[in-house]
Amino acid sequence: MEKIKKIPVAFSGVMLGMAALGNLLQSYSEGIRCLFGGIAVLILVLLIAKGIFFLDAVKQELATPVGLGVFATFPMALMLLAVYVKPFLPALSLPLWVFAILLHIGIILFFTGKYVLSFEEKNVHSVWYIVYVGIVVASLTSPAFQAAAFGQVAFYFGFVALLVLLFVVTRRYLRLPVPEPAKPLMMIYAAPMALCTAGYIQAFPEKSKGFLLFLLLATTLLYLFALVKSVQMLRLPFYPSYAAFTFPFVISAIATKQSAVVLAGMGAGLTFLPAIVLVETGIAALFTIYAFLRFVHFIFIKK
């Protein structure tokens, strides 16, 4: 049981990354998708076990803006897993998806009441992107539940929040020092614009070529920023914030991959995109597996 107690809430970020990685690699093999989806489910079981047996420890982790913000990856992962289980447990998939959305909305409301209405710049971290833009996973998964209208609403909410947060979060990082354990959270910068790009593609049947190109360009710039920062962050000792090496890079690869397909269909295909997709996919897989192994070592092997 001591091993279960050691599981950080941030492990939910790895669960999200694994579920997303399975979707990214689905075009190569359905078996690979099921493998990474299975790992995500295993992490889910471990996190639920910690919540059952060590609820006070979980509450302690959630009592900080970083801990609560990272916890928003939990409902994001559940939304993805709802699509995974749909072919096998169709009666469970929609309720799970709706529950995940309601949980995420609950986190947004609680987080807003605690950290936005009583605003202090020191409480601002890149995890704010997870809280407010993470709901766009509903846009990404909405086609599986014939809920495009809701997916579009979620996209608009997340995109507007992103535009505001880019200023608020960046201003905080420029003005205040970042504690070393929180530094890997800088990788999250790669996620929100990429998530909006993928969410836009999935939730809107009619797409604007100009807007999609804008989203793809912004996604690429933020991805490159995070990739450059990753070189510094990998030199740090392990912290639970290593979870930020997973989903941000996976969703960036998904956004580029989907954009390449859609733009080609619009007659505006960019010939270099397939090569970029391949590189981004390789980086996403390596980072996600590496972060997962570091968590496994920390939880089950390190004394």
Side-chain angles (χ1 to χ4, degrees):
M1 293 299 283
E2 284 302 310
K3 302 295 185 185
I4 299 297
K5 189 176 182 180
K6 281 184 68 178
I7 296 172
V9 168
F11 206 18
S12 62
V14 181
M15 174 174 67
L16 172 62
M18 284 290 178
L21 183 60
N23 289 333
L24 173 62
L25 299 177
Q26 185 177 15
S27 59
Y28 299 100
S29 166
E30 187 64 37
I32 290 177
R33 178 177 184 260
C34 290
L35 171 63
F36 287 111
I39 293 173
V41 170
L42 179 59
I43 295 172
L44 172 62
V45 171
L46 292 172
L47 288 168
I48 291 173
K50 176 163 182 177
I52 292 171
F53 297 109
F54 300 101
L55 184 57
D56 287 343
V58 172
K59 287 179 180 177
Q60 219 171 12
E61 287 188 64
L62 299 185
T64 68
V66 170
L68 184 58
V70 168
F71 180 63
T73 57
F74 186 84
M76 291 168 68
L78 289 184
M79 288 182 228
L80 293 184
L81 290 176
V83 179
Y84 268 87
V85 303
K86 190 180 179 187
F88 313 104
L89 298 166
L92 174 65
S93 60
L94 180 58
L96 179 60
W97 188 68
V98 172
F99 168 76
I101 291 170
L102 292 175
L103 178 58
H104 199 111
I105 291 172
I107 292 171
I108 289 173
L109 294 174
F110 184 78
F111 194 95
T112 301
K114 189 164 186 180
Y115 297 113
V116 177
L117 297 184
S118 302
F119 183 82
E120 291 185 67
E121 195 169 41
K122 66 179 182 179
N123 289 330
V124 177
H125 290 276
S126 56
V127 296
W128 286 42
Y129 293 127
I130 303 173
V131 175
Y132 293 100
V133 189
I135 194 68
V136 180
V137 174
S139 309
L140 193 64
T141 52
S142 61
F145 302 100
Q146 293 77 52
F150 180 78
Q152 291 167 13
V153 171
F155 167 80
Y156 285 124
F157 176 87
F159 185 66
V160 171
L162 169 57
L163 296 181
V164 175
L165 288 174
L166 276 173
F167 169 76
V168 174
V169 177
T170 303
R171 184 173 182 266
R172 178 260 185 266
Y173 278 116
L174 291 174
R175 285 162 55 95
L176 298 175
V178 180
E180 185 176 281
K183 284 184 177 180
L185 295 175
M186 290 287 286
M187 304 300 96
I188 295 173
Y189 262 88
M193 192 64 75
L195 180 55
C196 285
T197 302
Y200 175 70
I201 289 171
Q202 291 299 316
F204 290 83
E206 298 296 325
K207 301 165 187 58
S208 162
K209 182 169 67 176
F211 186 53
L212 180 56
L213 285 170
F214 161 76
L215 289 173
L216 179 60
L217 176 60
T219 293
T220 303
L221 291 175
L222 289 169
Y223 173 82
L224 290 173
F225 167 77
L227 190 62
V228 169
K229 283 288 182 182
S230 71
V231 177
Q232 302 171 13
M233 302 309 158
L234 285 169
R235 295 172 183 164
L236 297 175
F238 173 81
Y239 296 106
S241 55
Y242 258 55
F245 279 100
T246 61
F247 183 72
F249 292 98
V250 176
I251 194 61
S252 295
I254 288 173
T256 305
K257 188 175 186 177
Q258 292 182 348
S259 297
V261 173
V262 173
L263 289 170
M266 291 177 167
L270 303 174
T271 56
F272 54 84
L273 276 186
I276 292 176
V277 169
L278 195 61
V279 172
E280 289 188 4
T281 299
I283 291 171
L286 285 172
F287 276 172
T288 302
I289 293 169
Y290 175 72
F292 171 71
L293 293 176
R294 291 299 300 267
F295 269 85
V296 169
H297 180 268
F298 171 75
I299 297 166
F300 297 106
I301 300 172
K302 186 178 178 182
K303 296 183 179 179

